[in-house]
Amino acid sequence: MALRGVRVLELAGLAPAPLCGQILADFGAQVVRVDRFRRAALHADVQGRGKRSLALDLKQPRGAETLARLCQKADVLLEPFRPGVMENLNLGPDVLLKNNPRLIYARLTGFGNSGAYSKMAGHDINYLAVSGVLSRLGRKDENPYAPVNLLADFAGGGVMCALGIIIALYERTKSGKGQVIDASMVEGAAYLSSFLWKSQNLGLWNRPRGENLLDSGAPFYETYKTSDGKFMAVGPLEPQFYKQLISGLGLDSHKLPDQYDFSGWPEMKKRFTDLFSKKTQAEWCEIFEYTDACVTPVLSFDDVVSHPHNKERGTFLKNDQEEISPRPSPLLSRTPATPSSKRDPFIGEHTEEILLDYGFSKEEIAQLKSLRVIESNKPKANL
């Protein structure tokens, strides 16, 4: 796999950092999740695929010393804490990069490691708000709304941080030096919205929220409910594709307003809503599948795995616990990701073997265990 041999230490955190670590693990990196001894169910890592777990108490001086020693043999440290936390533990970049100049020190935070908001608490919706993106999301005459926590947490946070790590690893092949990555979810989400910024002079966003081409204003870029309570996604932006939509709906284009006549959009949306409500999702699929009308079913989690296209591509996979999740993406031709099929690790499941791998002796491990600096929780075998 592409990242085989890369050693990553991921300090356990909430959703964005675990996704970043999972991406690296899926593509071959040896990812060690450094866990607290016990974590609340809300904070459980459900993105532990391919990782091993080391339970370590960083609040103890010996715990911080242990992490510093691990970092001497690591390629990447991924930490998700607020600014100042690592420095207070004497584990800041100045200390760890002095001991290992090749270390990639990735800091994944909501507001970044500097700035007026840097030490404030927040979540995806807050980061999305400060990025400016949230102001663009929502329907006409409704409040802005966040599309679950995908944009800032995962796209702007976890994925952008993984990209930064890969870039830094590549640069290291030329300089031989590590560096610090300041991955802010606010800035990651803002960067994702570059098209929105760069397209403002094209007239795509000069109407109020929910009345533009791509924000639910256009009748041909919308979702419609079917007679069986399911939905179809409609998106033929180009005139030649729009003609196929109109044909499939049984309408005469000569009797309709021009596709890009804003004044006709509200009435056309009503007509489309009425038409789609008269057939089931399956019936609409039969009409529009394998056409260029840009009309597709809105698939639920229950339906998406069995959809013919996804089955043919192998888009989803099962682990040994029969849990379904998406296959890693993108698909590389020579060195594709080969995700682990094993269940996610228990906290502290691999503590001793990880420390041995990183050069700790059995005597040192026993001492750390007796001082409750580390914890080992190997699962009991089923007899």
Side-chain angles (χ1 to χ4, degrees), residues 115-372:
Y117 282 9
S118 62
K119 295 188 177 181
M120 281 175 43
H123 286 292
D124 176 280
I125 193 169
N126 309 114
Y127 312 139
L128 205 57
V130 177
S131 76
V133 175
L134 187 58
S135 71
R136 296 287 189 177
L137 304 179
R139 294 184 176 274
K140 181 180 178 181
D141 299 325
E142 293 184 7
N143 294 348
Y145 69 87
V148 296
N149 64 326
L150 285 174
L151 283 180
D153 273 1
F154 294 112
V159 174
M160 284 293 184
C161 188
L163 175 62
I165 289 169
I166 299 303
I167 293 170
L169 285 170
Y170 175 72
E171 192 280 335
R172 195 181 69 175
T173 65
K174 294 182 286 184
S175 69
K177 298 178 181 179
Q179 58 185 304
V180 180
I181 298 169
D182 183 354
S184 155
M185 295 177 215
V186 170
E187 291 164 8
Y191 191 32
L192 286 170
S193 73
S194 294
F195 170 77
L196 304 185
W197 288 91
K198 302 288 281 185
S199 64
Q200 289 185 95
N201 293 332
L202 300 180
L204 294 178
W205 312 107
N206 56 4
R207 300 171 67 82
R209 182 179 63 248
E211 296 183 25
N212 298 285
L213 178 65
L214 300 173
D215 64 0
S216 80
F220 49 88
Y221 205 82
E222 179 62 285
T223 57
Y224 292 97
K225 193 172 185 177
T226 57
S227 64
D228 54 348
K230 298 182 179 181
F231 296 89
M232 298 297 290
V234 175
L237 298 174
E238 298 81 359
Q240 67 271 28
F241 301 155
Y242 183 70
K243 287 181 180 178
Q244 294 193 42
L245 167 66
I246 296 303
S247 175
L249 291 174
L251 296 172
D252 184 349
S253 60
H254 296 97
K255 297 179 180 180
L256 301 175
D258 183 76
Q259 179 183 3
Y260 281 90
D261 178 1
F262 292 123
S263 64
W265 282 4
E267 182 58 33
M268 288 302 296
K269 185 172 284 193
K270 290 179 182 178
R271 294 189 68 175
F272 287 2
T273 298
D274 180 63
L275 286 168
F276 274 103
S277 70
K278 295 184 184 304
K279 287 183 171 64
T280 66
Q281 186 187 73
E283 289 172 326
W284 285 119
C285 286
E286 190 173 342
I287 291 170
F288 286 114
E289 272 186 343
Y290 310 113
T291 73
D292 285 339
C294 303
V295 178
T296 51
V298 177
L299 299 174
S300 69
F301 274 29
D302 292 332
D303 298 330
V304 69
V305 177
S306 60
H307 188 272
H309 177 78
N310 294 332
K311 284 182 68 175
E312 185 177 336
R313 293 272 304 172
T315 305
F316 295 87
L317 46 84
K318 287 184 179 180
N319 66 8
D320 58 9
Q321 305 291 302
E322 296 296 303
E323 295 172 337
I324 298 172
S325 59
R327 185 191 67 192
S329 181
L331 183 61
L332 305 184
S333 63
R334 286 192 304 102
T335 56
T338 306
S340 172
S341 61
K342 297 180 181 179
R343 58 160 174 76
D344 292 355
F346 298 130
I347 290 176
E349 181 174 349
H350 309 98
T351 296
E352 294 180 28
E353 69 178 64
I354 290 167
L355 293 174
L356 287 170
D357 287 349
Y358 275 76
F360 286 73
S361 69
K362 291 183 178 180
E363 291 75 20
E364 288 175 311
I365 295 170
Q367 185 183 46
L368 291 172
K369 198 170 183 179
S370 67
L371 295 172
R372 290 196 53 76

